[in-house]
Amino acid sequence: MKHIPVILFGAGGVGRALLRQIIDTRDLVASRNRCRFDVVCVLDSRSWLWQPAGLGDDQLLQIIYAKEAGQRIGGRRPDGLQVLDQLPEAGLERCLVADVTAAVGMEPVINKALEAGYGVVLANKKPLTGPWEDAKHYFAHPSLRYESTVGGGQPVISTLRYLRDTGDQIFGIEGQLSGTLGYICSQLDRGIDFSQALADAKALGYTEPDPREDLGGQDVKRKILILGRMAGWPLEDEEIEVESLYHPSLSHLSVDEFMQAAVAMDPSIRDRVRVANADGKVLRYLAAVNEQGGSVGLKGVRQGNPLADLKYISFRTRRYEDEPLMIGGKGAGVAMTAGGVLGDMIGLAREVWKLLQL
Ligand SMILES: NC(=O)c1ccc[n+]([C@@H]2O[C@H](COP(=O)([O-])OP(=O)(O)OC[C@H]3O[C@@H](n4cnc5c(N)ncnc54)[C@H](OP(=O)(O)O)[C@@H]3O)[C@@H](O)[C@H]2O)c1
């Protein structure tokens, strides 16, 4: 049995779900892959717990409970690079670093981990969406995986990788990449006003605490930029046009004030729904990318088109030109996202380190 030391950056919704899945799948991972993930270190933004022999499952559960209760993981944490320095000193090698934060500035840690020959798994989109010159080596690196950055647990990234690996040529990618905005669009279909749909989404916990983070489209932009770069196009952030669903003049409001001000957007969105419906279409917040660039925003989609069915991502390629390759299914949520991260960890263990042969 190969023991793989894991360093986990981030203990939010996804990090906690990942820890639970690591505990719950121990027997399965051992029997199918002859390996065991020894979580030696868990860090949040302020604190950490570190045990070179691997934290016990009872300790991992304590971390989950502490974070759910809004408490710290442990003592004050060192800098991320210092954490990596401690690994060889503790005799740990062939480690796996998982970044399930939404933090900016993780690149030095990721680069150092890759230089040390470690595997890296990202749910964090930010390192992949910085300037192309800084990010391009991530897209070619065999020890870096990021399945859950787009589509949660859906095999979007692995499908695109397979298409590229087997010589297909990508012409265009299009999809509905936000569960939150998908929900809001489905409510608009039912005649519910935008502000009410937004309030419902917030009450159901589908939005970020500040819904402007969803409505601004930046997260969707990062996802389509990742897909475009994977497709082989060295696109920069500014080559993806984004339609924000709120006016910049509402940026300075508190969340409560913003939720009230959202009513002012109802008439214009109602008009757009009406115009789309009159043409046999529904409104969807779509992202699209091709070699020239990309766009993110509300578009009319003909009823009956799979993209009107909220869940799909479509790839138009040389092989799939007349009939695009579609991937659909429930994608969002911390459990699916954590499943994508765990799948990447197993994939690295199996394919890159060939543990089954060791
Ligand atoms: N939630 C989803 O359904 C979903 C789906 C797809 C992708 N993702 C991506 O997955 C990532 C995590 O999402 P989430 O929902 O788990 O976010 P979250 O609940 O906000 O958790 C983020 C975690 O990262 C920690 N953190 C922040 N900066 C850090 C740093 N420099 N070093 C170590 N830890 C740091 C935070 O620490 P504190 O606890 O101290 O604040 C928190 O524990 C994000 O990039 C998100 O875009 C999420």
Side-chain angles (χ1 to χ4, degrees):
M1 175 89 71
K2 175 78 180 170
H3 286 247
I4 301 174
V6 174
I7 299 91
L8 178 62
F9 286 85
V14 175
R16 296 194 297 270
L18 178 63
L19 289 175
R20 279 190 198 281
Q21 289 182 18
I22 288 174
I23 295 169
D24 292 346
T25 59
R26 287 221 183 276
D27 291 346
L28 186 74
V29 170
S31 67
R32 284 176 65 90
N33 301 296
R34 306 222 314 260
C35 68
R36 177 186 161 92
F37 295 116
D38 287 338
V39 182
V40 296
C41 182
V42 183
L43 304 102
D44 63 16
S45 64
R46 297 170 300 155
S47 67
W48 76 326
L49 206 56
W50 151 246
Q51 190 162 295
L55 295 158
D57 287 353
D58 51 339
Q59 289 173 295
L60 298 180
L61 287 170
Q62 280 309 318
I63 293 173
I64 294 170
Y65 301 146
K67 289 302 295 179
E68 279 171 353
Q71 296 162 3
R72 301 164 71 96
I73 293 176
R76 193 166 160 214
R77 54 161 288 187
D79 173 63
L81 293 176
Q82 290 170 330
V83 173
L84 295 193
D85 284 338
Q86 297 187 9
L87 302 172
E89 287 166 17
L92 298 172
E93 53 183 22
R94 294 242 161 157
C95 302
L96 234 164
V97 172
D99 174 3
V100 298
T101 74
V104 291
M106 290 297 288
E107 291 83 348
V109 172
I110 295 166
N111 294 343
K112 186 168 177 148
L114 292 173
E115 279 160 22
Y118 301 163
V120 173
V121 177
L122 306 176
N124 184 2
K125 294 173 267 295
K126 288 174 185 158
L128 296 166
T129 52
W132 173 245
E133 208 43 43
D134 299 338
K136 67 181 177 191
H137 68 117
Y138 298 145
F139 288 87
H141 205 293
S143 299
L144 185 135
R145 299 285 165 99
Y146 45 93
E147 182 65 64
S148 60
T149 55
V150 184
Q154 291 177 19
V156 175
I157 299 288
S158 52
T159 300
L160 192 45
R161 180 175 292 120
Y162 141 75
L163 291 171
R164 300 268 355 254
D165 283 348
T166 57
D168 203 352
Q169 187 185 354
I170 316 296
F171 296 145
I173 303 169
E174 197 172 20
Q176 228 276 103
L177 301 178
S178 162
T180 311
L181 295 171
Y183 172 80
I184 291 173
C185 287
S186 71
Q187 298 300 89
L188 297 178
D189 290 353
R190 299 174 55 210
I192 294 171
D193 272 335
F194 174 76
S195 59
Q196 184 59 49
L198 180 62
D200 294 344
K202 187 167 188 325
L204 288 164
Y206 293 168
T207 67
E208 294 295 328
D210 184 342
R212 282 168 289 197
E213 286 182 31
D214 301 294
L215 299 176
Q218 294 302 312
D219 198 52
V220 174
K221 175 165 81 166
R222 288 190 195 101
K223 292 178 189 175
I224 201 72
L225 182 57
I226 289 171
L227 294 181
R229 287 177 166 184
M230 271 200 86
W233 309 314
L235 296 169
E236 296 292 353
D237 179 84
E238 56 273 14
E239 290 174 275
I240 313 285
E241 274 178 37
V242 179
E243 177 193 5
S244 168
L245 292 188
Y246 69 92
H247 194 270
S249 63
L250 304 179
S251 306
H252 68 283
L253 300 178
S254 71
V255 172
D256 286 346
E257 288 167 343
F258 173 74
M259 293 303 288
Q260 284 167 23
V263 175
M265 293 183 264
D266 287 344
S268 67
I269 294 197
R270 220 180 285 142
D271 276 352
R272 289 177 73 175
V273 172
R274 206 171 18 236
V275 168
N277 289 172
D279 195 23
K281 295 178 176 173
V282 288
L283 279 190
R284 293 290 175 261
Y285 197 75
L286 286 190
V289 70
N290 61 30
E291 195 169 9
Q292 270 75 50
S295 66
V296 173
L298 274 183
K299 290 190 188 117
V301 178
R302 197 152 296 286
Q303 274 161 348
N305 180 323
L307 286 173
D309 188 13
L310 293 172
K311 298 181 204 152
Y312 289 94
I313 295 177
S314 86
F315 296 99
R316 206 166 49 75
T317 75
R318 190 160 39 77
R319 288 186 207 139
Y320 292 93
E321 186 165 18
D322 43 351
E323 211 177 309
L325 174 63
M326 315 280 290
I327 297 178
K330 194 172 165 183
V334 292
M336 269 81 75
T337 306
V341 175
L342 183 58
D344 277 346
M345 290 165 58
I346 292 168
L348 279 175
R350 219 170 20 199
E351 294 160 35
V352 179
W353 296 332
K354 298 188 174 56
L355 292 182
L356 292 174
Q357 278 83 53
L358 290 180

